[in-house]
Amino acid sequence: MKKKIAFICVHNSCRSQIAEALGKYLRGDEFDFYSAGTETKPQINQDAVRLMKQLYGIDMEHTQFSKTFDKIPSPDIAISMGCDVGCPFMDRAFDDNWRLPDPTGQSDEMFVEVIKRIETIIKLL
């Protein structure tokens, strides 16, 4: 059985969604990937959606949506995207904190930098 990896952010609209999409794209045959937050947004960050389509051909809006962590299976590994916007509490300790800056409202270059950092770390899991 594949291990379940969950990427946790506060809003589950940007970094954690990118990580879920890239995890499935790059290593979905090895792990089951999920993302979640303590709050939700009505849609995934549109800059993230646009850039993931451009860079990888992944349409996150067709396969993912913003959800709270009580809506995903209990993960074997829980990873925080970064506590610069406040760490969510999910009834267990995080196995890792990737300390990624939140690119929301930033330039495309900042988004691409965060996306590429996520890609690199997922390849090393």
Side-chain angles (χ1 to χ4, degrees), residues 35-46:
S35 68
T38 52
E39 303 171 20
T40 59
K41 291 281 188 176
Q43 65 181 11
I44 299 172
N45 181 295
Q46 293 300 289

Side-chain angles (χ1 to χ4, degrees), residues 74-116:
S74 181
D76 298 301
I77 299 168
I79 299 170
S80 169
M81 296 288 90
C83 289
D84 59 315
V85 293
C87 254
F89 177 71
M90 54 171 278
D91 296 329
R92 63 165 282 183
F94 286 104
D95 296 292
D96 200 1
N97 180 348
W98 288 0
R99 302 187 194 291
L100 297 166
D102 185 357
T104 301
Q106 304 293 319
S107 67
D108 281 3
E109 292 76 21
M110 176 65 155
F111 265 91
V112 171
E113 181 183 320
V114 169
I115 290 168
K116 293 298 182 181

Side-chain angles (χ1 to χ4, degrees), residues 6 14 33 42 44 46-47 53 60 67 76 86 94 105 118 122:
C14 190
F33 292 96
I44 299 172
Q46 293 300 289
D47 290 320
K53 279 181 192 174
M60 294 192 300
K67 58 209 159 297
D76 298 301
F94 286 104
I118 291 170
I122 286 175

